Amino acid sequence: MRILVTGGAGFIGSAYVRTLLDGGYPGCAEAEVTVLDALTYAGNTDNLPLGRPRLDFVRGDITDTELLRSVVPGHDWVVHFAAESHVDRSVRGAAAFARTNVLGTQSLLDACLAAGVDRFVHVSTDEVYGSIDRGSWTEDSLLLPNSPYAASKASSDLMARAYWRTHGLDVRITRCSNNYGPYQHVEKLVPLFVTRLLTGGTLPLYGDGTNVREWIHVEDHCRAVHLVLTGGRAGEVYNIGGGTALTNRRLTELLLGLCDAGWDRVRHVEDRKGHDLRYAIDDAKIRAELGWRPRVSFEEGLSGVVEWYRANPAWWKSLEAAR
Ligand code: NAD
């Protein structure tokens, strides 16, 4: 069994690869893994156990069709994490998002089709659904993405589905809520706030902090992706939610508490343009069909993350210096 993981040097992809190599996914303990990653500002080989016998690392871009023609053949399964992933960056400039998330995904799908890849999991996000005032999104909800990031992910979801419908490529799509965990780039909310708290800085909280997000530990997300890969159905979409819905204000309060800090450390900043107010995901399908449920409690997970950033300053200080 050979598995190609794109974006495997990023936050979620590397968590997936580490668990895969550690034998954490039943039936795949002997899998050979290739990570294909362009090592953008978000990719970091320190996230990976390079040198392990079953791991091969290829530095390359998913829009490079020639490279894909040489790398993809010989792999049975592809798990596609590679993307430009930060909403704020997409607000400042969307070109890289269209290029990697849309064109890159399409190039990869073409290469998988040509190489006869058996299964392809396209890792997507709940942000493709837009914002919801009440209730929650099922897999059949309309795609109404609001940020350029979300629009590029929705476009790639549709492209992935089209390769299943048109060409019969076995594509499965996952749409997950907000992840937190170790090795997340310091530009994202949880690590940004934790590292600011650890270094005596202030926390830039968007608007009034009432935006609601649903949180999931990265290990729970990766286990769900793997279940979809091994037990899901071709052409299907699977929502993945963590079940912990919090306003950004409440999340900030929890992080302040974990770091023994007070509200004087919080600075309200102008809201993000087009900021979605509320995300809420209905993940009854993956629970019923594949028996998945989150295992990491939010309280334990969040305090574990604070501890991880506290114990690994060298990892995140190098990213801060490069920002
Ligand atoms: P990340 O930004 O940490 O990692 C992305 C990785 O992709 C990096 O290693 C980067 O170098 C690589 N990459 C970027 N452009 C590339 C290109 N053109 N060719 C090859 N590699 C490239 O992102 P993440 O948070 O780990 O997210 C991974 C996936 O999960 C993304 O598809 C994202 O949309 C999705 N997702 C993320 C979240 C979340 O909360 N972070 C939630 C749901 C879904």
Side-chain angles (χ1 to χ4, degrees):
M1 169 65 58
R2 291 188 69 202
I3 305 178
L4 176 66
V5 181
T6 72
F11 164 49
I12 305 173
S14 70
Y16 180 74
V17 169
R18 290 192 304 272
T19 305
L20 195 53
L21 292 172
D22 286 345
Y25 300 129
C28 288
E30 301 304 320
E32 304 274 332
V33 181
T34 305
V35 167
L36 172 63
D37 197 297
L39 297 182
T40 67
Y41 78 95
N44 187 346
T45 50
D46 289 347
N47 300 355
L48 288 168
L50 293 183
R52 289 273 286 268
R54 291 188 291 113
L55 175 63
D56 191 16
F57 179 80
V58 177
R59 182 172 189 174
D61 196 305
I62 55 166
T63 60
D64 182 343
T65 51
E66 203 170 313
L67 175 81
L68 292 177
R69 268 198 295 277
S70 71
V71 171
V72 175
H75 291 92
D76 304 290
W77 294 345
V78 172
V79 187
H80 176 37
F81 292 98
E84 287 291 337
S85 69
H86 191 39
V87 178
D88 286 346
R89 283 179 186 260
S90 81
V91 174
R92 294 198 291 269
F97 290 74
R99 183 181 166 278
T100 285
N101 300 0
V102 187
L103 274 181
T105 298
Q106 176 261 315
S107 304
L108 186 65
L109 288 161
D110 262 347
C112 290
L113 194 60
V117 162
D118 279 343
R119 289 182 198 173
F120 183 107
V121 175
H122 174 67
V123 179
S124 190
T125 165
D126 60 355
E127 302 199 23
V128 297
Y129 296 119
S131 187
I132 189 167
D133 291 340
R134 67 189 72 81
S136 51
W137 297 297
T138 69
E139 289 80 358
D140 295 327
S141 298
L142 274 182
L143 302 187
L144 291 171
N146 291 320
S147 70
Y149 162 67
S152 68
K153 291 297 292 188
S155 308
S156 59
D157 285 23
L158 296 179
M159 192 63 81
R161 184 182 175 280
Y163 272 68
W164 164 71
R165 188 72 175 80
T166 304
H167 298 295
L169 184 66
D170 180 331
V171 172
R172 300 131 193 239
I173 297 168
T174 60
R175 295 189 182 134
C176 187
S177 58
N178 275 32
N179 282 223
Y180 69 96
Y183 297 95
Q184 187 171 29
H185 196 284
V186 290
E187 69 184 359
K188 302 281 170 52
L189 192 148
V190 169
L192 176 68
F193 281 18
V194 172
T195 55
R196 292 273 172 98
L197 285 167
L198 295 178
T199 51
T202 54
L203 316 186
L205 183 61
Y206 276 135
D208 59 6
T210 54
N211 306 65
V212 177
R213 296 292 181 269
E214 192 171 327
W215 292 92
I216 182 170
H217 194 277
V218 65
E219 283 172 17
D220 282 327
H221 179 194
C222 289
R223 192 163 38 79
V225 166
H226 195 73
L227 269 176
V228 169
L229 176 67
T230 52
R233 286 178 292 141
E236 293 290 319
V237 176
Y238 294 88
N239 282 350
I240 305 165
T244 304
L246 296 172
T247 61
N248 286 347
R249 207 179 154 75
R250 176 68 186 139
L251 178 62
T252 304
E253 193 169 61
L254 292 172
L255 292 172
L256 289 171
L258 284 168
C259 296
D260 293 323
W263 275 100
D264 57 314
R265 300 284 292 280
V266 177
R267 178 171 52 92
H268 288 273
V269 296
E270 193 184 332
D271 209 352
R272 170 193 282 162
K273 274 191 195 171
H275 205 173
D276 288 335
L277 187 58
R278 178 173 175 268
Y279 297 159
I281 200 132
D282 178 340
D283 60 10
K285 178 174 170 179
I286 191 170
R287 288 175 187 252
E289 228 179 82
L290 301 177
W292 175 88
R293 57 187 43 75
R295 287 181 184 159
V296 182
S297 83
F298 187 71
E299 292 69 26
E300 270 176 43
L302 197 66
S303 68
V305 165
V306 172
E307 286 320 307
W308 189 87
Y309 282 89
R310 207 190 288 281
N312 293 281
W315 184 87
W316 53 266
K317 283 192 171 157
S318 64
L319 301 181
E320 272 198 328
R323 283 184 84 194

